[in-house]
Amino acid sequence: MVKNKMDCLCFWSLSKPFYILLFFFSFPRLIASAAFNLSTISFDEGYSPLFGDGNLVRSPNGRTARLLLDRFTGAGFISSKMYKYGFFSANIKLPGDYTAGLCVAFYTSNGDVFEKTHDELDFEFLGNTEGKPWRFQTNLYGNGSTSRGREERYRLWFDPSKQFHRYSILWTAKNIIFYIDDVPIREVIRSEEMGGEYPSKPMSLYATIWDASNWATSGGKYKVNYKYAPFVSEFKDFVLEGCPSDPIEEFPSVECYESYSRLESADYATITRRQRSAMRKFRQRYMYYSYCYDSLRYPVPPPECVVIPSEKDRFRNTGRLRFGGSHQGRKRRSRRRGRVQVSSIEYDPDV
């Protein structure tokens, strides 16, 4: 961190409160493990345009893609194949300045194939008014359980519009892990009690940018302002690890069983002791909503919830967020059309 003597003098001349703040915001990265060993692919090797026409812009070498939102449309892309379990990852940079009402989503889904019983795993980045930070949420659905949202919402320890950061979803038959860079931020361990609500059918990987003015920022209080358009999100260093699967195939192929084994033995499939410590600190400092502690929505926590006393003490017993619901059936809509809401509670702590 300190490169030379002058840096050292400047560093120690900082006021104590600012030094503590600097340490606070950089701490998760300091204790994370080394970066994963990943093989990246170009856009054309793994993806196809989804919607948005000219608002999906690929670099000449195919290694980077930009998604734009303007007053006419958003944009999105989709993996060319569906996968039964996998590791889905990209380096992403979000729009800057005024971003209220925006939603940039990086997620897996099979809603086009299983309309009433679809599965889904979400990263959703939620914009904000100028000068206020991006927030984001993770979520999952299994077997069409869209009335049973499993949202967690967080703040970041960095500005995601200034540089690229890697966002990853690991999905196996045993567990799901959401990563930022090499820091695990959420793990869902499959339990027998979850039954079909654990995602288990082949899914595609999606990335989209769209107008979510009706819920994304302060419960819909602040809308997208197209004076600041176009809004640009950038994606690069794509990773698709998994076994391509036919969604109607009853039994996986031998090759897929071998793929599952490789997936579960990869370095990102095991949370090390240091990473688990980083995850605990992240959740203590940056998570500000978890459905597991929302007794208004769920008087009895869903079966996969592991109630941690130190986390529970930090949350109120009421659910006070407005959510957007599932991505199913929404990705091809115009910028003015949002998703069916699953909560309409009037107060939002982001205000």
Side-chain angles (χ1 to χ4, degrees):
M1 179 182 296
V2 181
K3 296 180 180 179
N4 53 48
K5 185 176 181 180
M6 182 60 68
D7 289 340
C8 184
L9 290 173
C10 292
F11 183 77
W12 284 109
S13 66
L14 294 172
S15 65
K16 185 176 180 181
F18 186 81
Y19 170 78
I20 293 172
L21 186 65
L22 179 66
F23 184 80
F24 175 83
F25 279 101
S26 62
F27 191 71
R29 178 170 293 279
L30 292 176
I31 62 175
S33 64
F36 299 130
N37 181 22
L38 302 174
S39 298
T40 62
I41 60 174
S42 68
F43 183 91
D44 290 336
E45 286 179 290
Y47 302 94
S48 302
L50 180 64
F51 71 101
D53 300 324
N55 281 12
L56 167 58
V57 181
R58 284 168 279 183
S59 63
N61 65 3
R63 309 300 296 188
T64 301
R66 292 184 174 186
L67 298 181
L68 284 69
L69 172 68
D70 58 27
R71 63 182 64 254
F72 301 106
T73 184
F77 59 82
I78 182 175
S79 61
S80 302
K81 299 176 181 178
M82 301 182 76
Y83 297 84
K84 175 74 175 283
Y85 307 128
F87 183 77
F88 312 97
S89 182
N91 271 317
I92 303 173
K93 185 164 69 171
L94 301 177
D97 301 320
Y98 185 97
T99 57
L102 290 186
C103 181
V104 176
F106 185 73
Y107 67 102
T108 64
S109 178
N110 50 31
D112 286 343
V113 178
F114 303 101
E115 294 185 5
K116 295 183 179 180
T117 60
H118 90 289
D119 305 308
E120 191 173 310
L121 298 169
D122 296 327
F123 266 114
E124 293 178 304
F125 304 95
L126 309 177
N128 216 331
T129 55
E130 192 166 6
K132 293 187 177 180
W134 280 83
R135 295 131 310 112
F136 75 102
Q137 65 185 32
T138 60
N139 199 3
L140 68 138
Y141 299 102
N143 206 34
S145 57
T146 54
S147 63
R148 197 175 174 93
R150 290 175 162 89
E151 298 92 347
E152 289 188 349
R153 195 171 286 191
Y154 327 82
R155 296 179 178 89
L156 289 160
W157 66 93
F158 54 83
D159 184 345
S161 69
K162 297 300 184 184
Q163 58 186 354
F164 285 91
H165 286 268
R166 180 166 291 283
Y167 303 89
S168 309
I169 302 171
L170 171 69
W171 170 44
T172 76
K174 300 175 181 178
N175 66 338
I176 296 161
I177 304 175
F178 293 87
Y179 282 99
I180 297 179
D181 295 324
D182 53 356
V183 178
I185 63 165
R186 179 180 183 181
E187 181 181 29
V188 178
I189 299 175
R190 187 175 193 171
S191 67
E192 186 176 342
E193 291 76 16
M194 287 186 74
E197 293 190 7
Y198 187 88
S200 58
K201 297 185 293 295
M203 292 192 277
S204 300
L205 186 283
Y206 296 82
T208 59
I209 185 171
W210 56 289
D211 185 328
S213 289
N214 62 328
W215 69 277
T217 307
S218 299
K221 180 179 179 180
Y222 299 101
K223 315 295 184 183
V224 172
N225 187 339
Y226 286 95
K227 178 180 74 174
Y228 298 93
F231 303 96
V232 181
S233 56
E234 299 182 68
F235 299 77
K236 68 176 184 178
D237 302 325
F238 305 102
V239 176
L240 281 176
E241 294 287 351
C243 185
S245 301
D246 185 332
I248 61 173
E249 189 176 67
E250 188 172 357
F251 300 104
S253 64
V254 173
E255 291 78 10
C256 280
Y257 282 113
E258 294 173 351
S259 173
Y260 302 159
S261 179
R262 289 194 301 272
L263 192 67
E264 293 177 6
S265 62
D267 52 1
Y268 46 71
T270 300
I271 300 179
T272 66
R273 185 175 179 179
R274 295 182 69 191
Q275 286 177 312
R276 198 161 292 280
S277 176
M279 180 167 67
R280 183 177 65 253
K281 288 179 170 60
F282 170 85
R283 295 174 68 82
Q284 288 173 348
R285 296 173 178 179
Y286 301 106
M287 183 173 74
Y288 63 94
Y289 174 84
S290 172
Y291 72 105
C292 287
Y293 304 114
D294 189 341
S295 60
L296 203 156
R297 292 174 77 189
Y298 303 114
V300 177
E304 73 280 3
C305 287
V306 177
V307 175
I308 300 172
S310 61
E311 286 187 356
K312 184 177 181 180
D313 290 344
R314 293 172 39 242
F315 294 102
R316 301 169 182 171
N317 290 325
T318 55
R320 300 193 174 196
L321 292 178
R322 187 187 299 273
F323 300 109
S326 168
H327 286 269
Q328 182 187 17
R330 190 264 313 143
K331 57 185 172 297
R332 295 181 186 274
R333 299 180 185 178
S334 71
R335 65 173 178 85
R336 292 293 183 187
R337 296 179 67 186
R339 298 178 296 174
V340 177
Q341 293 182 357
V342 297
S343 175
S344 58
I345 295 172
E346 68 279 3
Y347 175 78
D348 191 317
D350 295 333
V351 175

